[in-house]
């Protein structure tokens, strides 16, 4: 899962929000800066003039109607939404890898059965050659056996191919190279214990990522509405400066200092702003910079200016903002309703499929047991030479077909059970449908395979697990992020 490109991208996105929050926190801090201003005039027929002004300026927002705090809360909610989106992607990836893992184990188990049957057919073919050579059976009987054997060999090749493809799909879901050495750990079936699906009303998890994301989106829209409702509240700014100026170069001779006060407001789409500055100069002539009016000469003593403006309906986009916020609220509410419906329908559909898979598993399991019981009777007829070895092995098809269906529905049940566990918010390793154990124990499918192998017509130790290289850990035992 750490190699998944989508999860890597979500991790990169999550690194942006602490940066944005830090930037918003800076708005509570005063803005500090150093300002330099100079005028030089050396024209013919005029007296040379020289003026420099260096000052340290500070400005602090003392009231903004709570807008900065709301902006900070919006970023925090967006961070939580992104975290839920990451969980949604993570669960999809987790479910995809697990389903491919189930399929690979299923194909491994079926391929194992074909390996076991292949050994028996190989032995039977050697016996037939010996019997044909000794004249015990006619050559035409061998040809009939070869036709049926070719059909079996075709199925065996297909089973091997399906196992290799399932292994390749598992590698792809885990972002592994196709030529990378990868083997499944044997004994998966002996570590899983399944339980019958409970036929009670099941409620999806309140903390399901889709539900939490919908609730957070509504909170975000609510903050947007509050921002629009409170944009009439004025913003008050307080500032000041201290420095020196002079008319004869450095060092500067005259001390200057002062304070400033500003107001900004929005009244129904019309803007109001007012600024005032009061300062003092110790000696000499200076320059006071008045916004909108340029530099004005001042002398020693107190100097001040006031300015104000009223823009009548200069915010033409206000109604569009109001419409956009209303549309966002409607969209968030509809998405929440739609997500609730999707969760309920999907969980109910999965519950129905889960029950179907379990019932079919039990059905084909009983068919397999009955077929094995019948095969044991045929073994008695074979021992009495009432039927041939080939006829006896053809009877194994009546065991293999329902056995393969039982295996298929067993793993289908696991797949749907995992999906239901995620809907219900339960542990994907231990829940009401199955439990992953650390130790191995007898499993019904494995016991059937062992019982079937005892009907082997030749003495040979059969292993219920293939000969594999050093196994990799179970994918299911990787760390899983809790809700």
């Amino acid at each position: 899962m750490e190699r998944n490109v989508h999860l890597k991208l979500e991790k990169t996105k999550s690194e942006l929000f602490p940066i944005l929050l830090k930037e918003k926190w800076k708005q509570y801090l005063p803005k500090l800066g150093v300002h330099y201003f100079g005028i030089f005039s050396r024209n013919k027929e005029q007296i040379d003039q020289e003026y420099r002004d260096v000052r340290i300026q500070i400005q602090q927002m003392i009231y903004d109607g709570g807008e900065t705090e709301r902006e900070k809360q919006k970023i925090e909610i967006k961070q939580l939404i992104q975290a839920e989106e990451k969980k949604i992607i993570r669960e999809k990836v987790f479910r995809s890898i697990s389903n491919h893992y189930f399929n690979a184990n299923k194909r491994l188990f079926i391929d194992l059965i074909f390996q076991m049957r292949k050994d028996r057919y190989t032995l039977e073919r050697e016996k037939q050659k010996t019997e044909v050579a000794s004249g015990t059976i006619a050559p035409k009987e061998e040809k009939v056996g070869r036709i049926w054997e070719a059909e079996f060999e075709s199925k065996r090749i297909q089973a091997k191919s399906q196992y290799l493809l399932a292994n390749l799909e598992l590698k792809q879901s885990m972002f592994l190279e196709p030529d990378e050495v990868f083997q499944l750990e044997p004994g998966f079936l002996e570590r899983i214990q399944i339980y019958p699906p409970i036929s009670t009303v099941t409620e999806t998890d309140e903390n399901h990522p889709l539900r939490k994301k919908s609730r957070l989106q509504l909170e975000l829209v609510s903050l947007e509405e509050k921002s629009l409702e409170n944009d009439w509240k004025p913003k008050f700014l307080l500032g000041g400066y201290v420095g020196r100026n002079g008319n004869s170069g450095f060092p500067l001779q005259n001390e200057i200092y002062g304070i400033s006060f500003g107001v900004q407001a929005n009244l129904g789409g019309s803007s109001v702003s007012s600024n005032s500055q009061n300062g003092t100069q110790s000696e000499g002539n200076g320059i006071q910079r008045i916004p909108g009016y340029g530099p004005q000469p001042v002398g020693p003593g107190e100097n001040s200016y006031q300015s104000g403006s009223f823009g009548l309906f200069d915010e033409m986009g206000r109604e569009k903002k109001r419409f956009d916020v209303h549309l966002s609220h409607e969209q968030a509410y509809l998405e929440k309703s739609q997500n609730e419906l999707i969760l309920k329908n999907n969980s109910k559909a999965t519950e129905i499929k889960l029950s179907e898979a379990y019932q079919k598993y039990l059905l084909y399991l009983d068919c397999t047991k009955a077929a094995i019981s019948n095969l044991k009777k045929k073994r008695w007829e074979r021992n009495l030479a009432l039927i041939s070895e080939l006829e006896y092995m053809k009877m194994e098809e009546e065991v293999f077909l329902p056995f393969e269906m039982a295996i298929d529905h067993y793993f289908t049940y696991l797949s749907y059970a995992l999906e239901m566990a995620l809907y219900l918010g339960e542990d994907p390793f231990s829940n009401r449908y199955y439990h992953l154990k650390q130790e191995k124990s007898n499993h019904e499918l494995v016991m059937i395979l062992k019982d079937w192998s005892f009907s082997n017509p030749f003495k040979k130790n059969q292993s219920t697990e293939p000969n594999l290289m050093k196994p990799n850990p179970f994918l299911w035992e990787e760390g899983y992020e809790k809700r």
Side-chain angles (χ1 to χ4, degrees), residues 128-337:
Q128 281 185 341
K129 288 181 180 179
T130 304
E131 290 172 347
V132 169
S134 61
T136 307
I137 63 174
K140 62 180 181 179
E141 295 184 21
E142 184 188 13
K143 291 180 180 179
V144 174
R146 284 184 179 180
I147 293 173
W148 187 81
E149 184 181 346
E151 294 177 355
F152 163 77
E153 188 67 19
S154 174
K155 294 178 182 178
R156 189 190 69 82
I157 293 171
Q158 183 181 9
K160 187 68 175 179
S161 175
Q162 288 176 336
Y163 164 63
L164 294 175
L165 288 173
N167 221 11
L168 186 61
E169 290 172 353
L170 177 58
K171 288 181 184 179
Q172 183 176 341
S173 68
M174 296 172 66
F175 283 83
L176 295 173
E177 294 290 336
D179 55 350
E180 186 167 345
V181 177
F182 179 87
Q183 295 289 347
L184 296 174
E185 181 178 333
F188 172 73
L189 287 175
E190 292 141 307
R191 290 186 55 193
I192 286 286
Q193 181 179 358
I194 66 172
Y195 308 107
I198 303 172
S199 58
T200 58
V201 178
T202 55
E203 292 292 335
T204 52
D205 183 20
E206 281 297 322
N207 290 322
H208 191 280
L210 272 177
R211 279 183 167 165
K212 289 182 70 175
K213 180 184 174 183
S214 297
R215 294 198 295 265
L216 289 167
Q217 284 175 331
L218 282 173
E219 289 183 31
L220 182 61
V221 173
S222 177
L223 283 174
E224 295 285 356
E225 290 176 335
K226 285 183 180 179
S227 295
L228 196 62
E229 292 170 0
N230 290 276
D231 68 344
W232 62 270
K233 293 182 178 180
K235 296 179 175 64
F236 297 104
L237 298 96
L238 183 64
Y241 66 90
V242 61
R244 284 178 174 270
N245 63 23
N247 303 96
S248 57
F250 292 102
L252 304 177
Q253 302 83 30
N254 311 316
E255 292 182 357
I256 55 172
Y257 56 88
I259 61 172
S260 62
F261 184 75
V263 179
Q264 299 173 3
N266 182 10
L267 300 175
S270 299
S271 62
V272 179
S273 64
S274 176
N275 294 283
S276 66
Q277 181 172 299
N278 296 277
T280 300
Q281 179 159 320
S282 61
E283 297 291 340
N285 296 320
I287 299 293
Q288 182 170 255
R289 295 170 300 283
I290 302 176
Y293 297 93
Q296 303 293 325
V298 295
E302 295 183 5
N303 303 284
S304 66
Y305 75 85
Q306 294 82 34
S307 67
S309 65
F310 181 80
L312 185 62
F313 302 117
D314 59 349
E315 192 179 352
M316 301 303 292
R318 179 176 173 79
E319 287 304 316
K320 185 179 184 303
K321 287 182 182 178
R322 189 182 299 277
F323 177 79
D324 288 342
V325 170
H326 176 72
L327 182 63
S328 297
H329 183 275
E330 191 72 16
Q331 183 178 359
Y333 179 78
L334 291 175
E335 284 183 1
K336 183 178 183 296
S337 302

Side-chain angles (χ1 to χ4, degrees), residues 115-116 119-120 123 453 456-463:
Q115 290 180 29
M116 182 188 76
D119 291 339
R120 299 168 71 162
L123 178 64
S453 66
N456 196 336
F458 58 93
K459 299 297 181 181
K460 182 178 179 181
N461 293 328
Q462 292 283 354
S463 172

Side-chain angles (χ1 to χ4, degrees), residues 16-26 71-73 75-76 79:
L16 173 64
F17 295 101
I19 298 173
L20 295 177
L21 281 173
K22 188 177 179 181
E23 291 297 318
K24 285 299 176 185
W25 272 109
K26 287 180 180 179
E71 289 296 323
K72 187 170 69 68
Q73 290 176 0
I75 295 173
E76 290 172 346
Q79 184 177 16

